[in-house]
């Protein structure tokens, strides 16, 4: 736990504390009365209510639509499965501003629905909820599906032989085993929607505002740092309470599971029910995920030409000091470094938390690891600039600053993906290895690693995807001569003109293709090198 604790203390707790202190401390005195003043304002109470309500609704809708897909990817084999799994993950790595723009093209003025049926949803909460499902669909599919594919199906088959109906067998046998993974996925979706920024800002307009949007407005438009600091504390407290409840309830339900080679659990669809389920999932993916991506690709084309893509190779000498296409290589370099950091930090934390003899202090750190997902990225970005600006940690000019910020978001995904599998490993296997003379390192290498290799690769893929799409904190610390893809897209979207908008869509399409290719490679590695139990 030493390295994960030091990492989160230095690069998360310290920057957040620095900006909160600056906002609530004036003339050497703390202004705690400001907290009451802010939270009792009617408009702030409305923001708090809408933030919580839309996060709960988005989480429930995402689970409802994505759990059937998790079953399909875990248990059924069909042509194009690996490609489709990579495609499903692509929306998660797109910058939120791009997600909002893609849905605006679908449901907004002169959008696809408006042109076909005269329907507009851009001023309703449904546009926000559907965009959140689009963004978080992969979280449920990969987190729950990763564990589901390793559950021994013979346990459910035994319940069927004893007279249980398919629904009863799933509810009494499979669902309890999946509960930790479902809870972990729901937690991640809730945190992402609770702190939603780009999607709400573009689709919500002035009628809808989350805490994240309000913090940004108070910081960059009103310049009221004290109100922003109070809202950050409120967000921090709400997320901390949710994580504490999650840690307490999930810990009580976790048990050792019988895990098997995932390649032995898949089979071709049989019967009308399985074929109908597969067809329903494919239709949902086509309408909810592929259609917005198709709109994104279409808007990246100049008519049907490649003029917007060719323009990416030119530096305009204004917003960009280098050609916008350089952001592709910059993003890949930063993402690889951030993935390495996140896997090391998150892997060590997950290994420590998975021990059955872990004390309360160690188990309490489980909830703290998720806080970077629930704290305003605006706060973290400003905190980096304020806290890491003097020796011995003056990192403002260092390239490592961006990967560190990205790893803060990636590490919780590593923990949440690996922890259910690590806790499901039967401790008696390690004890048997020790009795036979294996050292702790060899026991971990021979017993744990083969079983968690699949989860480790999934976690690395999540960390890589999150790093590529991270925007909130990166926008404040990325250097002008080394912008990442999301930062470059946001800068282009902020400038008027059809050429800038087309270039933004072209960069977004490149980001989508790069992520799909990387995730497809990951799927091949995971399929070829896992399952050796």
């Amino acid at each position: 736990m030493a390295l994960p604790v030091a990492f989160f203390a230095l690069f998360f707790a310290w920057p957040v504390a620095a900006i909160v202190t600056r906002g609530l401390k004036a003339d050497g005195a703390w202004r705690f009365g400001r907290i009451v003043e802010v939270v009792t304002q009617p408009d702030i109470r409305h923001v708090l209510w809408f933030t919580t309500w839309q996060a709960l609704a988005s989480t429930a809708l995402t689970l409802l639509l994505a759990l059937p897909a998790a079953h399909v990817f875990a248990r059924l084999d069909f042509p194009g499965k690996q490609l489709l799994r990579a495609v499903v993950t692509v929306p998660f790595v797109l910058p939120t501003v791009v997600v909002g723009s893609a849905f605006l093209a679908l449901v907004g003025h002169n959008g696809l629905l408006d042109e076909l049926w005269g329907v507009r949803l851009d001023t309703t909460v449904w546009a926000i909820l559907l965009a959140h499902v689009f963004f978080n669909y992969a979280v449920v599919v990969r987190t729950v599906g990763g564990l589901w594919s390793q559950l021994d199906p013979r346990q459910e088959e035994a319940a069927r032989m004893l007279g249980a109906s398919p629904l009863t067998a799933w509810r009494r046998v499979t669902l309890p085993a999946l509960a930790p993974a479902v809870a972990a996925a729901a937690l991640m979706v809730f945190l992402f929607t609770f702190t939603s920024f780009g999607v709400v800002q573009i689709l919500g307009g002035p009628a809808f505002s989350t805490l994240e949007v309000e913090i940004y407005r108070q910081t960059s438009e009103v310049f009221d740092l004290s109100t922003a600091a109070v809202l950050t504390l409120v967000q921090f407290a709400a997320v901390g309470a949710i994580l504490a409840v999650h840690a307490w309830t999930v810990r009580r339900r976790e048990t050792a599971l019988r895990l098997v080679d995932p390649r032995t659990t898949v089979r071709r669809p049989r019967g009308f029910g399985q074929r109908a389920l597969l067809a329903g999932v494919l239709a949902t993916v086509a309408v909810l995920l592929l259609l917005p991506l198709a709109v994104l690709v279409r808007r990246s084309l100049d008519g049907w030409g490649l003029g917007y893509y060719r323009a990416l190779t030119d530096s305009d000498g204004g917003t960009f000091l280098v050609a916008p296409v350089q952001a592709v290589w910059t993003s890949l370099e930063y993402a690889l470094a951030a993935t390495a950091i996140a896997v090391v930090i998150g892997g060590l934390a997950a290994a420590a938390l998975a021990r059955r003899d872990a004390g309360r202090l160690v188990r309490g750190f489980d909830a703290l690891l998720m806080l970077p997902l629930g704290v305003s990225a605006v706060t973290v970005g400003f905190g980096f600039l304020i806290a890491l600006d003097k020796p011995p940690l003056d990192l403002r000019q260092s390239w490592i600053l961006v990967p560190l910020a990205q790893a803060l978001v990636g590490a919780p995904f590593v923990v949440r993906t690996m922890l259910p599998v690590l806790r499901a490993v039967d401790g008696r296997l390690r004890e048997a290895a020790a009795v036979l003379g294996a050292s702790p390192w060899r026991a971990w290498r021979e017993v744990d690693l083969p079983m968690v290799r699949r989860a480790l690769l999934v976690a690395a893929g999540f960390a890589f995807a999150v790093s590529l799409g991270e925007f909130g904190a990166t926008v404040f610390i990325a250097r002008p001569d080394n912008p990442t893809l999301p930062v470059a897209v946001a800068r282009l979207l902020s400038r008027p003109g059809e050429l800038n908008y087309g270039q933004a869509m072209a960069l977004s399409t490149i980001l989508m293709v790069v992520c799909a290719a990387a995730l497809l490679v990951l799927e091949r590695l995971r399929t070829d090198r896992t399952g050796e139990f």
Side-chain angles (χ1 to χ4, degrees):
M1 291 297 298
L3 188 59
V5 169
F7 177 81
F8 279 90
L10 192 60
F11 298 112
F12 174 68
W14 186 17
V16 171
I19 194 169
V20 170
T21 300
R22 179 165 297 192
L24 292 182
K25 199 172 184 180
D27 299 326
W30 289 94
R31 299 187 298 165
F32 292 111
R34 181 63 178 159
I35 299 177
V36 179
E37 295 176 7
V38 172
V39 297
T40 55
Q41 297 176 10
D43 55 337
I44 297 299
R45 290 203 305 268
H46 176 74
V47 168
L48 292 173
W49 162 248
F50 177 74
T51 301
T52 305
W53 179 88
Q54 64 84 25
L56 290 172
S58 297
T59 302
L61 188 59
T62 302
L63 289 175
L64 179 65
L65 295 177
L67 281 177
H71 170 77
V72 166
F73 281 107
R75 295 300 198 204
L76 301 183
D77 186 24
F78 52 91
K81 178 179 177 179
Q82 294 183 21
L83 176 61
L84 187 62
R85 194 197 302 268
V87 170
V88 164
T89 310
V90 168
F92 182 71
V93 304
L94 292 177
T96 54
V97 291
V98 177
V99 174
S101 299
F103 268 81
L104 194 63
L106 283 176
V107 302
H109 180 61
N110 292 329
L112 185 61
L113 294 183
D114 192 13
E115 292 178 356
L116 295 178
W117 298 294
V119 176
R120 290 184 57 185
L121 300 176
D122 54 321
T123 57
T124 69
V125 73
W126 280 107
I128 296 174
L129 297 182
L130 291 176
H132 283 162
V133 175
F134 170 87
F135 188 75
N136 294 289
Y137 194 85
V139 175
V140 178
V141 171
R142 298 185 74 94
T143 303
V144 179
L147 179 60
W148 204 335
S149 64
Q150 293 181 268
L151 294 181
D152 191 347
R154 291 175 295 182
Q155 299 180 32
E156 188 172 329
E157 293 169 0
R160 295 285 307 278
M161 292 182 64
L162 293 174
S165 65
L167 179 60
T168 301
W170 180 82
R171 182 173 55 85
R172 299 293 295 274
V173 177
T174 305
L175 183 58
L178 289 175
V182 173
L187 176 66
M188 287 188 285
V189 173
F190 181 85
L191 290 179
F192 270 107
T193 53
F194 190 80
T195 58
S196 182
F197 173 61
V199 168
V200 178
Q201 188 176 39
I202 293 177
L203 297 177
F208 303 107
S209 179
T210 59
L211 274 173
E212 188 84 357
V213 174
E214 191 64 22
I215 290 172
Y216 177 80
R217 191 180 74 87
Q218 295 292 337
T219 303
S220 61
E221 298 178 9
V222 184
F223 304 107
D224 188 349
L225 195 57
S226 65
T227 298
V230 171
L231 295 179
T232 297
L233 288 177
V234 172
Q235 191 178 61
F236 191 86
V239 170
I242 294 166
L243 294 176
V245 172
H246 170 270
W248 180 70
T249 55
V250 172
R251 182 71 180 180
R252 295 178 60 185
R253 302 189 64 179
E254 286 173 338
T255 57
L257 304 174
R258 176 180 173 82
L259 303 181
V260 298
D261 185 342
R263 291 176 296 183
T264 65
T265 64
V266 297
R267 61 187 182 185
R268 291 285 184 175
R270 294 185 298 186
F272 174 78
Q274 291 187 351
R275 292 190 178 94
L277 178 63
L278 176 59
V281 168
L282 294 178
T284 301
V285 170
V287 174
L288 187 62
L289 303 185
L290 296 183
L291 186 58
L293 296 179
V295 173
L296 179 65
V297 174
R298 176 64 186 89
R299 292 210 165 189
S300 72
L301 300 175
D302 184 9
W304 289 103
L306 301 177
Y308 295 144
Y309 290 90
R310 286 192 293 268
L312 295 177
T313 61
D314 299 328
S315 175
D316 59 9
T319 302
F320 297 105
L321 300 180
V322 295
V325 74
Q326 292 296 322
V328 177
W329 311 113
T330 301
S331 288
L332 289 175
E333 293 171 355
Y334 285 158
L336 289 173
T339 300
I341 297 171
V343 167
V344 171
I345 299 299
L348 289 174
L353 293 168
R355 292 181 61 89
R356 295 291 171 180
D357 57 351
R360 287 187 176 182
L361 184 61
V362 175
R363 293 199 301 268
F365 189 64
D366 184 9
L368 296 178
L369 288 170
M370 299 297 293
L371 284 178
L373 300 183
V375 173
S376 169
V378 175
T379 300
V380 174
F382 273 134
F384 264 53
L385 297 179
I386 293 174
L388 305 178
D389 64 341
K390 62 184 66 175
L393 273 179
D394 187 359
L395 301 178
R396 288 175 301 174
Q397 302 301 319
S398 175
W399 68 272
I400 196 65
L401 195 62
V402 173
L404 286 173
Q406 294 173 343
L408 275 175
V409 183
F413 280 91
V414 175
V415 175
R416 293 267 66 86
T417 303
M418 294 187 62
L419 197 54
V421 179
L422 282 171
R423 284 177 172 167
V425 176
D426 194 338
R428 292 174 295 182
L429 296 176
R430 302 189 193 98
E431 296 170 1
V435 169
L436 294 174
S439 64
W441 162 249
R442 185 177 180 184
W444 182 86
R445 180 167 53 88
E446 299 290 343
V447 176
D448 291 73
L449 184 58
M451 293 186 176
V452 303
R453 186 183 291 119
R454 174 184 171 88
L456 182 62
L457 288 174
V458 172
F462 258 132
F464 182 79
V466 169
S467 299
L468 276 178
E470 205 288 320
F471 171 71
T474 306
V475 69
F476 295 103
I477 56 180
R479 295 167 56 181
D481 57 341
N482 282 307
T484 62
L485 273 171
V487 172
V489 169
R491 290 180 182 174
L492 287 168
L493 286 175
S494 66
R495 301 175 66 187
E498 183 179 348
L499 178 61
N500 290 318
Y501 184 81
Q503 285 182 291
M505 295 299 101
L507 271 182
S508 301
T509 303
I510 292 174
L511 175 59
M512 178 182 67
V513 172
V514 169
C515 293
L519 293 169
L520 187 59
V521 170
L522 177 64
E523 289 298 322
R524 285 190 171 275
L525 291 175
R526 191 178 70 169
T527 303
D528 294 341
R529 300 184 183 182
T530 57
E532 302 168 3
F533 291 87

